[in-house]
Amino acid sequence: MNTLSMLWAVVLKELRQTIRDKRMMALLVAAPCVQLVLFGNAVQLDVDKVPTVLVDQDQSDDSREHARRMYSDGTLSAVVPSGDPLRMLETGEAAAALYIPRDFARDHARRHQPRVQMVLDGSDPNRANVAASAVAAHLQNENDPRHQLGVESRVLFNPALSTSIYMVPGVSAMLLLLVTTVVSSMGLARERERGTLEQIQVTPLPGYVLILGKIIPFAAIGLLDFALAMVVGAYGFDMPMRGSFALLLLATTLYLTNTLGAGLLIASLSSSQQQAFMGGFLFMLPAALLSGIMTPVRSMPSWLSPVTVVNPLRHYAEILRAVLLRGANASDLAFQLGALAVLGVVICGFAGLKFRQQQG
């Protein structure tokens, strides 16, 4: 029997075992759809430190003073311009762009009503509302009502500022983590409890064939859940698809190498399903909290935000939101894609090593 035939036999065995377990299938397929609908409608966010790029076309003392005041309360966080401000919104470097027009100081001194313009990234509606409200509050608090300034806002990517289409990609990433990490680790731990894993390990199957045979069915189910999430998001929440589906598929594949590798590692370190469940929970909870799904990474303490770089969930959620809502391309997301690839190799390599050590 050649290697491909052995791998196919293990995959078929895993698929049959999973499909026969009705509770497992409900957890893998039905539960993610239900949770996606619930989370997409129920979760609301509060944020600060909104990354804002300033375009001061007046360059006067008056314009700089107004800009300083708008940044002073911490709601807005200054971002150094690195090119076209609109491009910075597309790549996610900034969430808002504030334009102060020429002759701002002159019009203000003449008691005209100078107007500043805000361009907002509507792919995160809560953050866009926070930025717009902060600027509007500053301008309306001018002491002299005759000098009161005006603001014109323009929202990109999500003009209706719908929270749901912002939440759906993040929740989809979190549900994939649940399905592929926790369920796969518990499945492998169950086989160890029943003794079937040891029976397979004494066969002439190469270690890598056994590992691939165990994780490929869960990878296929993960891709199915990804497709279901996209369908539910599109038809249930009017979530747009502005970027490349092929890029999303690539990112999902890289993400699954991380989550399935984590599941294999947890199973290798567990001797029972209860231990695997607790290990999966302890992995999933900090991953979700440090992903930026609930609160932006920029709002986290400065000592904590660097830790999120090693969190696959953060990078995958950023890719989903950028591709779906802003139409980002591969070059815009090179860092996130590279991080997923590197983390996947490290996690899978370590998990495979632990699994082979147990096999030996």
Side-chain angles (χ1 to χ4, degrees), residues 48-49 77 290 296-309 314:
D48 60 1
K49 298 181 181 178
S77 176
L290 297 176
V297 173
R298 288 178 178 270
S299 298
M300 297 178 186
S302 57
W303 62 268
L304 185 59
S305 56
V307 180
T308 65
V309 175
R314 171 197 168 175

Side-chain angles (χ1 to χ4, degrees), residues 194-232:
R194 294 176 177 176
T196 56
L197 187 60
E198 285 74 11
Q199 293 175 7
I200 297 175
Q201 287 176 336
V202 299
T203 65
L205 282 174
Y208 71 91
V209 173
L210 180 58
I211 292 174
L212 288 175
K214 292 293 183 183
I215 66 174
I216 285 177
F218 290 104
I221 293 171
L223 290 174
L224 173 63
D225 284 335
F226 163 72
L228 288 174
M230 294 300 99
V231 171
V232 171

Side-chain angles (χ1 to χ4, degrees), residues 42-55:
V43 177
Q44 301 294 328
L45 308 174
D46 293 314
V47 299
D48 60 1
K49 298 181 181 178
V50 180
T52 305
V53 58
L54 173 67
V55 183

Side-chain angles (χ1 to χ4, degrees), residues 84-126:
D84 181 8
L86 297 181
R87 179 62 178 164
M88 294 179 68
L89 264 65
E90 291 177 1
T91 59
E93 296 175 74
L98 176 62
Y99 289 84
I100 298 180
R102 291 184 178 86
D103 301 327
F104 175 90
R106 185 195 66 184
D107 291 343
H108 197 206
R110 294 179 179 178
R111 298 190 177 184
H112 294 167
Q113 190 182 51
R115 303 186 70 83
V116 300
Q117 183 185 40
M118 283 286 289
V119 182
L120 304 167
D121 176 6
S123 64
D124 185 341
N126 197 54

Side-chain angles (χ1 to χ4, degrees), residues 13-325:
K13 177 258 181 189
E14 289 296 318
L15 283 175
R16 291 194 188 103
Q17 182 174 312
T18 302
I19 292 172
R20 281 198 300 264
D21 190 335
K22 294 182 180 180
R23 290 177 298 178
M24 180 74 76
M25 288 304 297
L27 183 62
L28 291 172
V29 178
C33 292
V34 174
Q35 293 181 53
L36 186 61
V37 172
L38 293 177
F39 277 102
N41 285 292
V43 177
Q44 301 294 328
L45 308 174
D46 293 314
V47 299
D48 60 1
K49 298 181 181 178
V50 180
T52 305
V53 58
L54 173 67
V55 183
D56 186 354
Q57 298 172 333
D58 192 45
Q59 294 295 323
S60 64
D61 292 339
D62 194 13
S63 65
R64 283 190 285 269
E65 177 62 18
H66 278 288
R68 185 192 65 78
R69 291 178 186 174
M70 280 187 278
Y71 284 124
S72 62
D73 68 351
T75 303
L76 305 180
S77 176
V79 175
V80 178
S82 60
D84 181 8
L86 297 181
R87 179 62 178 164
M88 294 179 68
L89 264 65
E90 291 177 1
T91 59
E93 296 175 74
L98 176 62
Y99 289 84
I100 298 180
R102 291 184 178 86
D103 301 327
F104 175 90
R106 185 195 66 184
D107 291 343
H108 197 206
R110 294 179 179 178
R111 298 190 177 184
H112 294 167
Q113 190 182 51
R115 303 186 70 83
V116 300
Q117 183 185 40
M118 283 286 289
V119 182
L120 304 167
D121 176 6
S123 64
D124 185 341
N126 197 54
R127 190 166 60 175
N129 275 320
V130 168
S133 298
V135 174
H138 165 75
L139 298 179
Q140 290 169 3
N141 285 337
E142 290 294 296
N143 292 328
D144 187 349
R146 293 172 298 178
H147 282 189
Q148 191 176 56
L149 307 176
V151 59
E152 296 177 353
S153 296
R154 182 160 63 99
V155 179
L156 303 179
F157 315 125
N158 182 13
L161 293 177
S162 170
T163 301
S164 296
I165 68 170
Y166 170 71
M167 285 304 304
V168 166
V171 173
S172 300
M174 192 163 58
L175 293 178
L176 272 182
L177 177 67
L178 169 66
V179 168
T180 55
T181 300
V182 178
V183 176
S184 64
S185 63
M186 290 181 64
L188 290 170
R190 182 182 65 243
E191 289 201 36
R192 177 172 287 111
E193 281 185 322
R194 294 176 177 176
T196 56
L197 187 60
E198 285 74 11
Q199 293 175 7
I200 297 175
Q201 287 176 336
V202 299
T203 65
L205 282 174
Y208 71 91
V209 173
L210 180 58
I211 292 174
L212 288 175
K214 292 293 183 183
I215 66 174
I216 285 177
F218 290 104
I221 293 171
L223 290 174
L224 173 63
D225 284 335
F226 163 72
L228 288 174
M230 294 300 99
V231 171
V232 171
Y235 291 98
F237 299 97
D238 294 325
M239 184 179 67
M241 172 72 78
R242 297 194 172 103
S244 167
F245 184 79
L247 180 57
L248 284 181
L249 194 59
L250 170 63
T252 302
T253 303
L254 292 175
Y255 180 59
L256 289 176
T257 62
N258 287 264
T259 59
L260 291 169
L264 179 63
L265 179 59
I266 292 169
S268 300
L269 299 173
S270 305
S271 57
S272 66
Q273 292 187 72
Q274 289 80 6
Q275 289 183 5
F277 176 78
M278 288 303 300
F281 178 78
L282 291 175
F283 174 79
M284 188 176 69
L285 182 59
L289 293 175
L290 297 176
S291 65
I293 291 176
M294 301 301 176
T295 56
V297 173
R298 288 178 178 270
S299 298
M300 297 178 186
S302 57
W303 62 268
L304 185 59
S305 56
V307 180
T308 65
V309 175
V310 296
N311 184 4
L313 180 55
R314 171 197 168 175
H315 301 300
Y316 184 59
E318 288 179 353
I319 290 172
L320 284 182
R321 286 170 174 165
V323 174
L324 291 171
L325 306 184

